[in-house]
Amino acid sequence: MDITALEALRGALRGPVITPQDPEYPEARTVYNAMVDRRPAAVVRCTDAGDVMDAVASVRDHGLELAVRGGGHSGPGLSLVEGGVTVDLSPMRWVRVDPVARTAEVGGGTLLGDLDHAAHAFGLGVPAGIVSTTGVGGLTLGGGHGHLTRKYGLTVDSLMSADVVLADGRFVTADERNHPDLFWALRGGGGNFGVVTSFTFRLHPVGTVALAITLWTLDHLREVLEWYREFLPRAPDDLTGFYAQLVVPPAAPFPEEIHGRTMCGVIWCWTGDLDRTDEVFAPVTRPAAPAFHFTTPMPYPALQSMFDGLMPPGLQWYWRGDFFDRVTDEAIAVHATYAEAIPTALSTMHLYPVDGAAHRVDPGATAWGYRDAVWSGVVAGIDPDPANAGKVRQWCVDYWEELHPQSMGGGYMNFMGADEGQDRVRSTFGAQYDRLAQVKRSYDPYNLFHANQNIEPAPA
Ligand code: FAD
C-alpha cells in the first residue's frame, strides 16, 4: 500500500491501522468463513464515527478499494478485498437500551448476542438472526429474519433510524423524515449506500419463550413437508418453526441412538403464553411418529445462542438461497434426494418462515424485495476440513440448481454465494432493483461501496 496513504490513515485515526507487518494482521484478516482467504493491504479499526469519516475519505482520495466489516459473518467474506482497505467496525460494539421509549441504539460493529443480552434485561428484543455471533450490521442491511419474524417482522421493520457515513464523507441520520430515500434503501439494500455507524431499533416484548425440536427419519420427509407447508402459514404469529434437514449432532438433548443420523425436522419457537405450550405443540407430532420430540422453556437470548457451539468460526462454508411462496411436490422430491446425499455432518438445508407480521408491511415501504415470500430457504455446505471445500460446494450448487425452478426466482441477499453473478443480484432485489439503483446514484455515484452484493448506480 502506498506509503503516503498509510501515513494519512495512521495520522487521522484514533483506532489502529493494521498492515501485513503487524502481529495482529493474521487475526484482523480472519473472517467467519474459513473458505475466504484474502489479504487486504490494511485493516482499519474504527473507534467512532469520526474514524469512519476519516477512513472513508482517505481510502477514496487515494483511490483504494474499500470494504466494510460489521460482524465478518457474510458467506462470501465481503468485508475483505484483496489488496484493499477494510473499515473494521468491531471496536464500535455497544448497545444502549432506553426501556421507557422501548428503543435500542446499537454501534455499527455490534453482534446479535450483544443486542439480545442488553434488551433482554428489560424483557425486550428485536427480531434478528438465530446465531448470536452474527453482525447486526450486515444482517440488518440485508433485511434480517429469525425466530421473532412471524410475530414482529423483519429486522428492518424495527429499524427507526441509522447514522451513516456517505461516500462523499458526509455524516447523515436517515429516518422516515430525513433522507427517506436512503432510509428506504438501507432497509434491505445491503451495504451499498454508506457505512452505518449506529442503528436505532424499536424494541418489542419478549422474555422466556418455548422451544421445541421435532425430528423424523428421512422415510417420513415427504409427509412431514406436505403437512408443514399447510400448517405453518396458518399458525398464529406467536408460533414459528423453521424446517431443517440435518445430521443429528452428538450432543444433548439428542439421545445417543440418533447421533449422526440424517433427519428432517422443525425447530419451533412459541412466544405466546407459556401455559399453552403443550396445547400449541400438540399438533406438531401428528404428521408421523417423530424420532425425537423435545420442548423446554428458555430465555430468548439462550435460544438465540443455541446454535453457536455447533457453528463456531473457522469452518468451510458455501451457501445459496432462494425465496419460496409454496413448497411444491417437485421441491419435496428434490429435498428428499439431497437429504439422502448430505455430504458432511454440518451441511444442512433450512426453510425460514418470513410471513406473519413481515407480510403485513407495505411491499414498497422497504427495499426488501419479496414481501410475498413465505420462506427464505438456504442450502449450506459446511465442514471443518478444507479438503472437503469442493465437496460441500458441489452438493450445495447441485441442490440449489435443481430446487431453483421451484422458487420465486430470487433469494435473500445475505444467503448469496461468492460467485453468483450480477443477474442473481438483480433477482435478489427483485422489483426494488431499479429504485435501489436510483438511490445508489444519488448517494454513491462512483460505486465506492462495491464490496457487497452490488447495486450499480443507475446511469445519469
Ligand atoms: P460482514 O461480512 O461484516 O458484512 C456483510 C456485508 O454487510 C458487507 O458487504 C459489509 O460491507 C456490510 N456491512 C456490515 N456492517 C455494515 C455497516 N455497519 N455499515 C455498512 N455496511 C455494513 N441472516 C438472517 O437474516 N437470519 C439468520 O438467522 C441468519 N443466520 C446466520 C447464521 C450464520 C452461522 C451465518 C454465518 C449467517 C447467518 N445469517 C443470517 C446471514 C447474515 O445475515 C449475513 O451473513 C450477514 O452478512 C452478516 O453480517 P455481518 O455484519 O456479520 O457480516
Side-chain angles (χ1 to χ4, degrees):
M1 185 174 164
D2 182 277
I3 194 75
T4 49
L6 194 58
E7 278 170 5
L9 271 172
R10 286 214 162 108
L13 264 80
R14 191 170 171 82
V17 177
I18 301 165
T19 62
Q21 287 71 42
D22 294 309
E24 301 90 347
Y25 182 78
E27 181 255 316
R29 76 173 188 96
T30 300
V31 292
Y32 182 80
N33 182 1
M35 222 184 253
V36 176
D37 179 21
R38 284 185 216 120
R39 296 180 64 83
V43 175
V44 177
R45 291 220 160 123
C46 295
T47 58
D48 54 23
D51 267 2
V52 175
M53 289 161 82
D54 284 332
V56 168
S58 190
V59 170
R60 185 197 56 224
D61 294 347
H62 287 91
L64 300 167
E65 294 275 322
L66 175 74
V68 179
R69 178 178 176 132
H73 249 241
S74 68
L78 296 170
S79 60
L80 294 176
V81 176
E82 188 72 33
V85 175
T86 292
V87 170
D88 179 357
L89 304 177
S90 59
M92 298 170 66
R93 206 177 142 182
W94 52 265
V95 182
R96 180 181 181 278
V97 174
D98 180 338
V100 178
R102 290 193 170 177
T103 58
E105 267 180 75
V106 174
T110 301
L111 305 184
L112 296 189
D114 306 326
L115 175 56
D116 288 335
H117 181 267
H120 184 69
F122 304 98
L124 299 168
V126 179
I130 62 162
V131 170
S132 81
T133 53
T134 310
V136 170
L139 178 131
T140 301
L141 295 168
H145 54 64
H147 297 298
L148 299 183
T149 292
R150 299 194 79 239
K151 174 77 174 163
Y152 295 127
L154 301 169
T155 310
V156 284
D157 299 333
S158 293
L159 186 65
M160 297 171 69
S161 73
D163 288 346
V164 192
V165 174
L166 301 174
D168 65 5
R170 274 183 301 155
F171 174 88
V172 299
T173 297
D175 58 24
E176 291 287 2
R177 274 185 302 180
N178 304 292
H179 301 280
D181 51 347
L182 175 62
F183 185 54
W184 173 85
L186 291 172
R187 288 175 291 162
N192 274 284
F193 304 94
V195 186
V196 178
T197 56
S198 74
F199 299 86
T200 302
F201 293 104
R202 187 177 309 110
L203 298 175
H204 309 272
V206 57
T208 298
V209 300
L211 161 78
I213 303 175
T214 318
L215 299 180
W216 293 268
T217 49
L218 290 185
D219 52 332
H220 292 304
L221 184 147
R222 180 175 297 278
E223 27 189 333
V224 168
L225 268 173
E226 283 172 356
W227 167 81
Y228 172 77
R229 70 185 176 187
E230 302 299 324
F231 176 81
L232 191 275
R234 291 175 175 79
D237 291 352
D238 273 312
L239 182 64
T240 193
F242 72 85
Y243 172 82
Q245 291 166 184
L246 72 163
V247 178
V248 180
F254 305 107
E256 235 177 273
E257 60 269 22
I258 63 167
H259 289 177
R261 292 188 62 188
T262 306
M263 297 208 170
C264 62
V266 182
I267 291 78
W268 305 97
C269 170
W270 165 249
T271 47
D273 180 357
L274 290 178
D275 289 341
R276 293 187 53 211
T277 305
D278 290 346
E279 168 204 336
V280 166
F281 288 137
V284 310
T285 57
R286 283 184 199 149
F292 176 75
H293 179 66
F294 167 85
T295 67
T296 182
M298 54 165 58
Y300 178 66
L303 173 64
Q304 288 290 87
S305 49
M306 195 173 76
F307 300 110
D308 292 5
L310 197 60
M311 305 206 156
L315 304 174
Q316 307 283 314
W317 281 75
Y318 186 86
W319 65 27
R320 286 192 182 187
D322 261 325
F323 288 116
F324 300 89
D325 55 1
R326 69 201 69 174
V327 179
T328 60
D329 291 348
E330 291 82 356
I332 294 176
V334 177
H335 291 311
T337 303
Y338 284 89
E340 294 284 358
I342 207 158
T344 60
L346 290 173
S347 296
T348 191
M349 192 287 300
H350 293 171
L351 292 174
Y352 295 108
V354 285
D355 58 338
H359 272 195
R360 293 192 288 273
V361 175
D362 182 320
T366 69
W368 175 264
Y370 286 83
R371 283 285 169 188
D372 45 352
V374 180
W375 288 278
S376 167
V378 67
V379 181
I382 311 169
D383 196 64
D385 186 351
N388 286 333
K391 183 164 89 172
V392 296
R393 184 187 180 284
Q394 198 57 49
W395 173 78
C396 174
V397 171
D398 292 346
Y399 193 163
W400 180 87
E401 278 177 356
E402 276 200 50
L403 194 58
H404 179 65
Q406 307 305 319
S407 77
M408 297 173 76
Y412 179 28
M413 64 158 282
N414 277 336
F415 289 159
M416 280 185 72
D419 47 4
E420 293 195 54
Q422 204 57 27
D423 286 351
R424 276 292 287 165
V425 176
R426 268 188 173 268
S427 45
T428 282
F429 294 112
Q432 315 290 33
Y433 188 88
D434 290 340
R435 186 172 167 195
L436 282 163
Q438 296 288 346
V439 181
K440 178 79 172 173
R441 188 177 70 195
S442 302
Y443 287 93
D444 185 16
Y446 303 108
N447 208 359
L448 179 68
F449 299 107
H450 63 259
N452 41 46
Q453 303 302 351
N454 195 232
I455 296 160
E456 287 162 5

